[in-house]
Structures are given as structure tokens and as C-alpha cells.
Amino acid sequence: MQFEQEFRARQAIEQLKHRYWRACDAKDPHAFRACFVARGGVLDFGPLGRTDPDTMVGIFGQIALATASDGGPRVLDMHHGLMPSIAVEDPADGGAPRRA
């Protein structure tokens, strides 16, 4: 794989991670959903099970948008992304990377 292709793939993944964290922190279900593929996505949480993005958005909405008895948010969170660990797979056909 060419250095330039891997570099661009890593940049795209880092940008996606930052969009995801901003959507979570903003408690924005639409921006959260936009971080996943439109169809066919599977979220694998290991021993907790697997689900699809739309189901996860529903869970996210229930938790992130919940309000406390004083009317404020029940959950306050802030995501930080430092020192990314990203392994870009070299495609067998020599084309642009499609998995990381």
C-alpha cells in the first residue's frame, strides 16, 4: 500500500472518530447516526452482543437525552481522542484501503 493512501485513510478515520465524539458530547442523535454506514452496518460489542446502527441510535437517544429531576441532563460526558491506534489493512487487489 502506498504511504499516501494509508495516510489519507488514517486521516479519514480520525475525522470520523472526532465527528462521533462531538455528536455524543452534543447529544445529537442525527449526527451520531451519520457516523455509520447507511445500510448493513453491524456494531459488535463482544460479550454484550451485536446490533445495527439504527437500534444503537435509539439506545443513544434514550440514554443521552434523558433528563434528571432538575430538568438538566442525566448524563454529562466529554470524549477525548489522543494517540490513535489505527491499523489500515492492505487490500489484496492493490487498490485503495477499505478496512482498518
Side-chain angles (χ1 to χ4, degrees):
M1 175 181 350
Q2 294 180 355
F3 172 80
E4 177 98 16
Q5 286 180 323
E6 183 172 349
F7 178 74
R8 287 183 183 180
R10 287 175 183 270
Q11 281 187 315
I13 292 166
E14 288 179 22
Q15 290 297 314
L16 173 62
K17 288 170 69 172
H18 289 282
R19 282 196 316 271
Y20 174 84
W21 291 328
R22 282 192 303 272
C24 289
D25 293 345
K27 302 182 183 325
D28 183 342
H30 297 292
F32 180 83
R33 177 62 180 91
C35 293
F36 300 97
V37 295
R39 290 176 304 203
V42 176
L43 306 175
D44 188 344
F45 294 100
L48 297 176
R50 296 163 57 121
T51 191
D52 60 273
D54 291 324
T55 300
M56 190 63 204
V57 170
I59 295 167
F60 172 79
Q62 289 175 347
I63 295 170
L65 302 177
T67 55
S69 59
D70 66 0
R74 181 168 290 178
V75 176
L76 294 174
D77 52 1
M78 184 182 344
H79 292 78
H80 299 275
L82 304 172
M83 297 183 277
S85 177
I86 301 169
V88 179
E89 291 184 10
D90 195 5
D93 64 5
R98 290 182 291 278
R99 293 178 54 95

